[in-house]
Amino acid sequence: MFLKKSKRDNGRVYLSIAHGYRKDGKVSTRTVESLGYLDELEKQYDDPIAHFKALCDKRNEEIASATSALDITIHPFEKIDIQSKHRKNIGSAVLLFHYNSLGIEKVLRNATRNMRYKSDFNAIMRLLVVDRIINPCSKLSTVNDKGNYFFRSDFSDDDVYRALDVFTSCKKRIISAMNKNIEAKGRRNLNHVFYDVTNHYFDTDEQDEIRQRGVEKNHRPDPIVQMGLLQDANAIPLSYEIFPGNTNDCVTLLPTIKDLKQSFKLNRVVVVADKGLNTSDNIAAATLDGNGFVFSQSIKGTKSTKDLREWVISDEGYKENKDKTFKIKSRQDTKKIHIAGEDGKKTAVDIDVKVVAYWSAKYALRSRNKRAEAIEKAKKLVCNPSAFTKATSYGAAKYVKNISFDKKTGEVLENAGKRA
């Protein structure tokens, strides 16, 4: 393994951990782990290149130490045909067993029966699923890997790309069939479900209906697509939805919960989420639909009242554990939310809630360390503003007074602050 540095069209350097191997007599590489842009990683590490080179060396040492010698017996007169390719991944049989039990083939056969374009869509889906689990890679690389499996895969890369539109049109029917078969086998556990939203970015400046610039996890400026994934208590996926990249995370929750209740005939759902989903619309929808909610909320900001802040900060009423590493208290309270009427105007409404406040020693230490790192970075920003941009100064700029950035380039302007 080695650290790969790739210079992108936008001039930024992208780091990844790659693995070199020999295939068909040629030396090739494959990406083992994508790390991110160098300027973003410099926020987390003093020297990202040295850090990840050391990580590669450590992994190579672990692989070498784990490799044991094997005794191989070969008949002296036996000849090996260097042109033959007889190695097959027999372990994929386990994956095929589970794939066949999900009912995907039946859906695809019925959906494509009358299509003029003839191709074995189930064979394509089967290869994409199996190779994604065994050797995650691009669609083109997956087609090149099809000889590694014993099952039939008589199609080209063009067939695979055409099939993607077919799979999209069959999405709901495929998910429905999978859920019915999983439930029939007694593997579905809906005592509680998990929902989260992530994003996928694209190395392009072009935007379209689905690829839009939005809030990206690593603060990249590239267009993104949002994906919300729903899992049951056994971590088995229930469904997923794709949203335009400029969609706020909190907006994706309502349609997901509605589909969940309809599909599985659930009476009441209790939504547990972080503060990103703590909005008036989500709370109102949960309350009006007879659902419950447990949302986290910071005592800072406009969502908190002076009375609530004073109550949380006060030591009165807290119960501690034996190690005094955690304490908690609660009270009945009201929360003001804003509901839009038929005329579009929002009205403030008080709803009854139970407020739970807690303090954790681990979380307090983590927050203290993050603040210390940000302050050290802020001091470097004050001393050498030209070495930073809006992206690389993320987290530290809020501790610096009188600092501003060029809207086009992101560079720090000359009037950077003098105090941190």
Side-chain angles (χ1 to χ4, degrees):
M1 294 185 188
F2 63 95
L3 181 63
K4 182 179 179 181
K5 293 174 282 186
S6 306
K7 191 171 182 180
R8 299 292 171 84
D9 293 338
N10 57 11
R12 302 170 72 188
V13 176
Y14 193 86
L15 300 185
S16 58
I17 296 177
H19 175 249
Y21 65 100
R22 187 173 294 276
K23 183 176 181 180
D24 298 333
K26 297 180 181 180
V27 177
S28 303
T29 60
R30 68 181 181 90
T31 299
V32 177
E33 182 178 353
S34 297
L35 302 173
Y37 284 107
L38 177 60
D39 55 357
E40 295 289 342
L41 294 170
E42 286 175 341
K43 305 175 193 175
Q44 306 174 40
Y45 307 93
D46 292 335
D47 190 346
I49 293 179
H51 172 81
F52 289 108
K53 279 186 176 180
L55 179 61
C56 291
D57 292 339
K58 181 179 179 182
R59 291 184 179 179
N60 288 330
E61 290 175 2
E62 291 174 351
I63 293 173
S65 62
T67 304
S68 57
L70 295 175
D71 292 328
I72 301 176
T73 303
I74 301 177
H75 194 280
F77 300 109
E78 183 177 358
K79 293 183 178 181
I80 299 176
D81 183 3
I82 61 174
Q83 299 298 325
S84 63
K85 297 180 181 179
H86 297 306
R87 292 179 298 175
K88 303 293 180 182
N89 191 315
I90 193 67
S92 61
V94 177
L95 300 178
L96 287 179
F97 170 79
H98 292 291
Y99 174 85
N100 293 332
S101 68
L102 294 174
I104 298 174
E105 180 175 5
K106 183 178 180 180
V107 173
L108 290 175
R109 300 288 186 211
N110 292 335
T112 61
R113 183 178 300 159
N114 298 321
M115 291 185 63
R116 287 189 299 174
Y117 175 70
K118 298 299 181 183
S119 185
D120 192 340
F121 294 102
N122 181 66
I124 295 174
M125 174 71 84
R126 179 177 59 197
L127 176 65
L128 292 176
V129 170
V130 170
D131 203 54
R132 171 61 61 176
I133 296 173
I134 294 178
N135 181 35
C137 55
S138 67
K139 302 293 185 294
L140 180 59
S141 296
T142 294
V143 175
N144 294 333
D145 288 345
K146 65 183 182 180
N148 297 337
Y149 304 105
F150 58 85
F151 51 81
R152 185 175 60 82
S153 300
D154 299 330
F155 47 81
S156 66
D157 53 339
D158 288 335
D159 295 326
V160 172
Y161 294 132
R162 292 191 189 100
L164 297 180
D165 288 335
V166 176
F167 297 155
T168 300
S169 66
C170 299
K171 171 195 164 185
K172 290 187 177 180
R173 282 175 284 179
I174 292 174
I175 292 176
S176 177
M178 292 172 61
N179 283 330
K180 286 180 181 178
N181 284 283
I182 292 172
E183 190 173 3
K185 291 176 173 59
R187 297 176 183 174
R188 182 64 78 202
N189 183 353
L190 295 176
N191 288 334
H192 53 270
V193 298
F194 303 95
Y195 176 73
D196 197 10
V197 181
T198 189
N199 51 51
H200 306 275
Y201 73 93
F202 296 83
D203 285 322
T204 178
D205 292 329
E206 299 295 329
Q207 299 185 77
D208 52 34
E209 292 182 1
I210 193 74
R211 293 182 297 183
Q212 295 283 332
R213 289 188 177 88
V215 181
E216 205 273 334
K217 307 296 183 185
N218 296 313
H219 312 289
R220 294 185 182 93
D222 312 296
I224 59 175
V225 167
Q226 302 274 19
M227 188 187 83
L229 177 66
L230 202 61
Q231 293 182 328
D232 69 4
N234 293 329
I236 299 175
L238 286 155
S239 183
Y240 76 95
E241 289 294 338
I242 299 295
F243 303 92
N246 56 0
T247 305
N248 196 309
D249 287 4
C250 62
V251 180
T252 69
L253 179 65
L254 299 182
T256 303
I257 295 298
K258 183 178 180 180
D259 290 344
L260 175 67
K261 293 184 70 173
Q262 290 178 347
S263 299
F264 295 94
K265 297 179 174 59
L266 303 179
N267 293 323
R268 188 170 187 266
V269 174
V270 178
V271 182
V272 182
D274 60 18
K275 58 186 178 182
L277 297 180
N278 185 349
T279 66
S280 291
D281 288 340
N282 286 338
I283 293 174
T287 304
L288 294 173
D289 290 346
N291 298 325
F293 64 90
V294 180
F295 290 152
S296 64
Q297 176 180 310
S298 171
I299 62 171
K300 299 182 294 183
T302 58
K303 293 182 180 180
S304 177
T305 63
K306 180 181 178 182
D307 175 63
L308 179 62
R309 288 192 291 270
E310 292 177 349
W311 175 76
V312 172
I313 295 173
S314 172
D315 290 331
E316 185 179 355
Y318 276 106
K319 294 181 180 179
E320 291 184 314
N321 61 357
K322 293 182 180 179
D323 299 330
K324 294 187 177 181
T325 58
F326 183 86
K327 59 183 181 180
I328 189 171
K329 67 177 177 179
S330 64
R331 74 174 188 182
Q332 291 299 127
D333 206 340
T334 59
K335 181 177 179 63
K336 190 180 296 295
I337 63 174
H338 296 82
I339 302 177
E342 294 181 357
D343 56 358
K345 295 183 179 179
K346 291 191 174 183
T347 304
V349 177
D350 289 330
I351 62 170
D352 294 327
V353 294
K354 181 178 181 179
V355 179
V356 180
Y358 77 91
W359 176 88
S360 166
K362 288 184 178 180
Y363 188 82
L365 179 61
R366 173 179 175 272
S367 299
R368 187 180 300 117
N369 291 336
K370 290 185 70 174
R371 285 194 300 271
E373 291 175 2
I375 291 172
E376 285 300 314
K377 190 174 181 180
K379 292 179 180 178
K380 295 178 182 178
L381 174 60
V382 171
C383 295
N384 189 12
S386 62
F388 290 85
T389 64
K390 186 174 183 179
T392 58
S393 63
Y394 181 79
K398 64 182 179 181
Y399 293 103
V400 180
K401 293 183 178 179
N402 303 323
I403 189 169
S404 57
F405 302 91
D406 188 296
K407 293 183 178 180
K408 293 183 178 179
T409 65
E411 295 178 347
V412 180
L413 298 177
E414 292 182 0
N415 64 334
K418 300 300 182 183
R419 290 181 294 171

